[in-house]
Amino acid sequence: MTVTPAVAAGSSAIGEVTGGSVNEPILSVRDLSVHFPLKRGFIVQREVARVRAVDGISFDIYPGETLGLVGESGSGKTTAAKAVIQLRTAGQGSVKFEGQELIGLSNSRMRPVRRKMGMVFQDPYGSLNPRLRAGDIVGEPLKVHGLAESKSDYRKQVASLLSRVGLSPGMAERYPNEFSGGQRQRLGIARAIAARPSLLILDEAVSALDVSIQAQILNLLQDLQDQYNLAYLFIAHDLSVVRHISDRVAVMYLGRIVETADAKDLYERPLHPYTQALLSAIPTPNPVHERSRERIILRGDLPSPINPPSGCYFHPRCPVAVESCAGTDPELRVLAENQAAACLLATGYGGALRG
Amino acid sequence: MMRETPASLMTTDSPNTSTPLLQVRNLRTSFNTPDGKITAVAGVSFDVNHGETLGLVGESGCGKSVSALSIMRLVPNPPGVIEDGEVIFEGVDLLSVSNKEMQGVRGAGIGMIFQEPMSSLNPVLTIGRQITEPLEEHLGLGRGAAEKRAAELLEMVGIADSRQRLSDHPHQLSGGQRQRVMIAIALSCEPKLLIADEATTALDVTIQAQILELMKNLTSQLGTALLIITHNLGIIARYADRLNVMYAGEIRESGTAEQVYLRPGHPYTIGLLNSVPRLDRPASERLDPIEGEIPDPANLPTGCAFRPRCRWATAECEIAEPVLEQVGDRQMVACYESSTVVESVEAVWK
């Protein structure tokens, strides 16, 4: 067994290790942190604490590939996505998109960048303006970025977008409340791809959908990716869905990435105890498999990011934690080809680690 | 702890384990909406046996939650109306007892846990008061005895420092702890049946696993029957002995977990199982989803409601609605084509 020296967060790129592609990454995130101050006081506001919602994460996404970002509530996955697209969330560190540094960019200079980054949200109803017709919702990015040459070109593009996501162009005249949940998510996707982006950020984009509709949307996303060579940052809590769509996966816990690997490796041999517990917690629709399977049940609740535990944030719940875990904050270490985990005890293909 | 059954609920033959604990017969519940009458539950019949775990699975709008609310007589009226059917619990039809008697059944006979514990718990009452109330109400315990029992119950559901926790208010607890409190309340009077309606859907994966294991362990210790209502096929596969698959207000397939998951007979069940990405199978390139949309309940298709989305549909399916028929030892399927369906699926899955 060989243990590769620790990779210091931010300096050497995790992406170099895990990417395995000769291309330049389309999105390169280094040591990204988002801290929210907690203030007390009525007139004189003092900062009493700091919520480290995202605490120094690094990852790369290459053209045409999907990075799955998984974690439970409070893991910071959504905040990380908002910091990437600079959506009312100021991050520290570095976010390079197509070679351009986004941290610190003004709103007006961010606008042309946002054309190339689409975003799809969990609640398709809450993210669609109820007073706009479907056609105008989908066509809005075309107007904002001046991508339609004429009115007839605009209508043509809207019709083709609608049919591309499996809606009939005749639906352009309808309002969002006339659509079902799945159709609204199709609208959301059509709007996100309207300005021909190269990266889509999908934040729990299929989580609220019924399983039969969820499968349709997942297939649509895969088709669009193949057709337009789109890169996806796919954020979700459902590990089965993430495995299905992702090339690589990063697992977050309390604002940090605790493990990252190629999807196949992460699911076949998770190295971090948290990843192992997460995977074992997911029931699969197979009674024979389910009843013979051992399950790791974690103790306790998710800690609050306002007051995280000392050392390894996971140690109070970890089934294999030792004394040193409370004192030492583990760094993400490369433990196998394309696989890194932030755990003092994790070793390559750690068979003995399971709790 | 003994539970006194109200005299009026006693039947001549006390229920034994051979007759089912709960028999739902031809239950019909509808809602009057501005768009017309919607039949949410359209003639549902099933049994829950003593001590068993039964799953009720289906997508949104299939009528699984309304079935549970109808059993508890908690369907808001108006607009909801239980139109027809019988809900026989321990030999008594709950749809014909008085409201007062029904109150005795809720809690003492049947406990229920919902998806969102925050809206089921009273935000201005302490946790302790919310647990002691049913104990005083249904079991006639005095204040001191009820408080002692409440602390025991909190311990039983895995809440540490139970004595101190009794004086906490719901907002001071995490989502998982609130759901633990709900379980403590639901089981406080040792009901014969616990209904869990999407009880873990809103929880994080690791917390969901904790709560499900807790629920399963407690009900098997106490001999409580468990009715799990969920859209999550994995949860049912792990915990349920038998299950009913619902679609558009009706049960389309029922059987043991092994039968329904490994040898499904209804095209809808097969479609559901093929729609979910599964960790127990190799990651496939593409999913094979059910086509189309869940039908509008105010405007259901003629004949079999699943027909427009079904790959096996024939002209016959358009004319009349298929009823549940025995296809195996304990398996029932409502589909004219089920023998063809089973054959073709077995060919593909093997």
Side-chain angles (χ1 to χ4, degrees):
Chain A
M1 185 204 72
T2 53
V3 175
T4 324
V7 178
S11 56
S12 156
I14 303 295
E16 276 170 20
V17 185
T18 53
S21 166
V22 284
N23 303 335
E24 282 293 303
I26 186 164
L27 181 73
S28 187
V29 173
R30 287 291 169 276
D31 217 8
L32 177 67
S33 291
V34 182
H35 294 178
F36 297 113
L38 268 187
K39 289 183 177 162
R40 286 273 157 77
F42 179 55
I43 295 169
V44 183
Q45 290 209 324
R46 279 176 309 131
E47 187 182 313
V48 290
R50 204 162 252 271
V51 183
R52 297 167 189 274
V54 177
D55 201 10
I57 64 169
S58 302
F59 59 84
D60 287 336
I61 302 179
Y62 289 84
E65 79 159 5
T66 302
L67 175 72
L69 201 56
V70 289
E72 299 180 278
S73 32
S75 64
K77 53 195 195 299
T78 294
T79 309
K82 286 184 173 168
V84 165
I85 204 164
Q86 309 272 299
L87 202 68
R88 297 192 309 269
T89 308
Q92 289 157 343
S94 164
V95 175
K96 276 201 178 122
F97 177 70
E98 294 184 334
Q100 185 184 9
E101 179 59 57
L102 303 187
I103 298 279
L105 272 195
S106 67
N107 235 338
S108 58
R109 294 186 59 192
M110 225 4 240
R111 181 164 284 191
V113 180
R114 287 210 185 101
R115 179 178 91 68
K116 310 206 77 184
M117 286 177 159
M119 188 145 182
V120 181
F121 302 90
Q122 171 170 1
D123 174 12
Y125 198 53
S127 59
L128 302 176
N129 185 338
R131 291 175 200 183
L132 287 185
R133 292 176 195 272
D136 292 323
I137 289 172
V138 171
E140 200 172 20
L142 301 174
K143 284 185 192 159
V144 169
H145 299 292
L147 297 171
E149 284 159 20
S150 61
K151 268 217 167 119
S152 71
D153 179 43
Y154 171 80
R155 274 197 293 271
K156 223 176 81 190
Q157 286 197 48
V158 167
S160 112
L161 281 164
L162 287 175
S163 58
R164 188 63 204 84
V165 298
L167 296 172
S168 87
M171 291 174 163
E173 297 303 311
R174 297 194 197 168
Y175 289 95
N177 67 352
E178 297 172 72
F179 289 89
S180 69
Q183 288 174 329
R184 281 181 207 141
Q185 201 55 298
R186 287 176 193 274
L187 271 186
I189 293 169
R191 176 181 59 184
I193 61 169
R196 295 185 284 277
S198 45
L199 171 72
L200 278 196
I201 296 174
L202 301 143
D203 188 6
E204 300 278 11
V206 300
S207 307
L209 303 174
D210 275 309
V211 289
S212 67
I213 308 303
Q214 174 179 292
Q216 296 172 359
I217 300 293
L218 286 171
N219 282 349
L220 171 66
L221 288 172
Q222 286 180 321
D223 291 344
L224 292 172
Q225 181 165 53
D226 291 346
Q227 189 176 354
Y228 302 116
N229 198 34
L230 279 168
Y232 290 156
L233 177 57
F234 189 89
I235 298 162
H237 67 278
D238 184 331
L239 278 104
S240 331
V241 169
V242 168
R243 170 182 180 244
H244 178 76
I245 200 162
S246 305
D247 300 300
R248 286 183 304 118
V249 177
V251 180
M252 287 187 75
Y253 190 76
L254 280 197
R256 296 175 176 179
I257 291 177
V258 295
E259 181 160 4
T260 172
D262 285 349
K264 191 171 175 293
D265 299 329
L266 188 101
Y267 286 86
E268 274 174 14
R269 37 153 223 264
L271 298 181
H272 196 286
Y274 178 62
T275 317
Q276 292 170 358
L278 263 187
L279 285 175
S280 97
I282 298 175
T284 58
N286 181 338
V288 177
H289 180 252
E290 265 310 306
R291 282 157 208 200
S292 62
R293 199 164 63 101
E294 227 181 292
R295 228 173 173 193
I296 306 167
I297 303 291
L298 292 178
R299 292 167 299 205
D301 276 319
L302 289 157
S304 155
I306 300 173
N307 187 17
S310 65
C312 169
Y313 286 179
F314 184 59
H315 88 264
R317 302 179 75 201
C318 180
V320 294
V322 295
E323 220 171 290
S324 55
C325 297
T328 317
D329 189 359
E331 280 176 341
L332 211 49
R333 289 181 297 138
V334 178
L335 295 170
E337 198 191 349
N338 294 344
Q339 189 162 9
C343 173
L344 293 177
L345 305 170
T347 55
Y349 311 151
L353 191 64
R354 285 184 173 274
Chain B
M1 193 173 68
M2 287 297 292
R3 186 172 63 80
E4 292 292 322
T5 312
S8 60
L9 286 184
M10 294 286 256
T11 49
T12 39
D13 340 88
S14 69
N16 56 41
T17 41
S18 61
T19 48
L21 173 67
L22 177 77
Q23 293 166 285
V24 178
R25 291 288 170 272
N26 196 31
L27 181 69
R28 285 184 79 85
T29 305
S30 63
F31 291 86
N32 293 308
T33 73
D35 299 332
K37 192 174 91 171
I38 287 173
T39 306
V41 179
V44 159
S45 302
F46 64 89
D47 291 345
V48 183
N49 296 315
H50 288 267
E52 80 165 341
T53 300
L54 178 73
L56 206 53
V57 69
E59 299 179 282
S60 36
C62 72
K64 54 190 192 302
S65 287
V66 178
S67 298
L69 291 175
S70 304
I71 292 168
M72 295 293 271
R73 284 194 21 204
L74 290 173
V75 176
N77 177 6
V81 186
I82 300 175
E83 290 186 321
D84 194 12
E86 290 174 292
V87 176
I88 300 162
F89 178 70
E90 298 193 298
V92 174
D93 182 7
L94 300 184
L95 299 186
S96 60
V97 301
S98 70
N99 282 338
K100 193 164 162 46
E101 284 169 315
M102 194 59 215
Q103 266 176 30
V105 174
R106 288 183 208 121
I110 309 177
M112 188 159 176
I113 320 168
F114 300 89
Q115 175 170 352
E116 195 15 87
M118 201 56 198
S119 52
S120 320
L121 290 169
N122 187 332
V124 298
L125 291 184
T126 62
I127 299 300
R129 186 66 199 122
Q130 299 187 58
I131 305 177
T132 53
E133 196 180 333
L135 292 170
E136 292 169 21
E137 179 79 18
H138 295 300
L139 304 179
L141 296 186
R143 184 52 78 88
E147 269 173 17
K148 187 163 166 283
R149 179 74 188 135
E152 286 167 15
L153 285 163
L154 280 189
E155 215 141 282
M156 178 181 87
V157 296
I159 291 181
D161 311 323
S162 51
R163 281 269 167 198
Q164 279 88 56
R165 286 301 187 172
L166 288 177
S167 50
D168 278 355
H169 285 84
H171 74 267
Q172 290 167 284
L173 303 180
S174 69
Q177 285 175 320
R178 279 182 213 133
Q179 207 55 298
R180 286 175 192 270
V181 170
M182 285 308 299
I183 293 173
I185 295 173
L187 292 177
S188 61
C189 302
E190 300 195 359
K192 294 272 174 57
L193 172 66
L194 177 66
I195 301 179
D197 184 6
E198 299 279 10
T200 59
T201 304
L203 302 173
D204 278 308
V205 188
T206 57
I207 309 299
Q208 182 181 67
Q210 290 174 352
I211 299 295
L212 285 166
E213 291 290 320
L214 175 72
M215 224 155 59
K216 183 66 184 180
N217 291 340
L218 288 178
T219 50
S220 62
Q221 273 166 34
L222 301 169
T224 313
L226 180 60
L227 176 59
I228 301 182
I229 298 171
T230 178
H231 68 281
N232 186 321
L233 290 157
I235 290 176
I236 301 273
R238 184 168 180 92
Y239 296 102
D241 307 310
R242 295 188 303 124
L243 71 143
N244 297 322
V245 181
M246 287 190 74
Y247 184 78
E250 285 178 52
I251 294 173
R252 307 289 161 167
E253 176 157 9
S254 69
T256 66
E258 281 78 5
Q259 288 168 338
V260 176
Y261 282 93
L262 304 180
R263 202 172 174 274
H266 196 284
Y268 177 62
T269 316
I270 293 160
L272 273 184
L273 288 169
N274 283 338
S275 291
V276 282
R278 303 170 59 153
L279 293 182
D280 63 326
R281 290 191 188 163
S284 61
E285 285 296 299
R286 270 182 92 74
L287 296 168
D288 183 16
I290 306 169
E291 279 157 38
E293 298 271 335
I294 295 165
D296 175 1
N299 193 12
L300 287 180
T302 57
C304 173
F306 187 61
R307 171 181 53 82
R309 307 177 74 188
C310 182
R311 281 170 210 183
W312 287 276
T314 62
E316 192 187 6
C317 306
E318 220 168 314
I319 300 161
E321 196 162 8
V323 292
L324 277 174
E325 274 173 33
Q326 202 88 23
V327 295
D329 173 25
R330 296 166 76 191
Q331 193 173 8
M332 312 259 285
V333 174
C335 175
Y336 295 121
E337 298 295 315
S338 68
S339 54
T340 326
V341 170
V342 169
E343 272 168 37
S344 55
V345 168
E346 282 190 334
V348 175
W349 283 11
K350 269 177 187 158

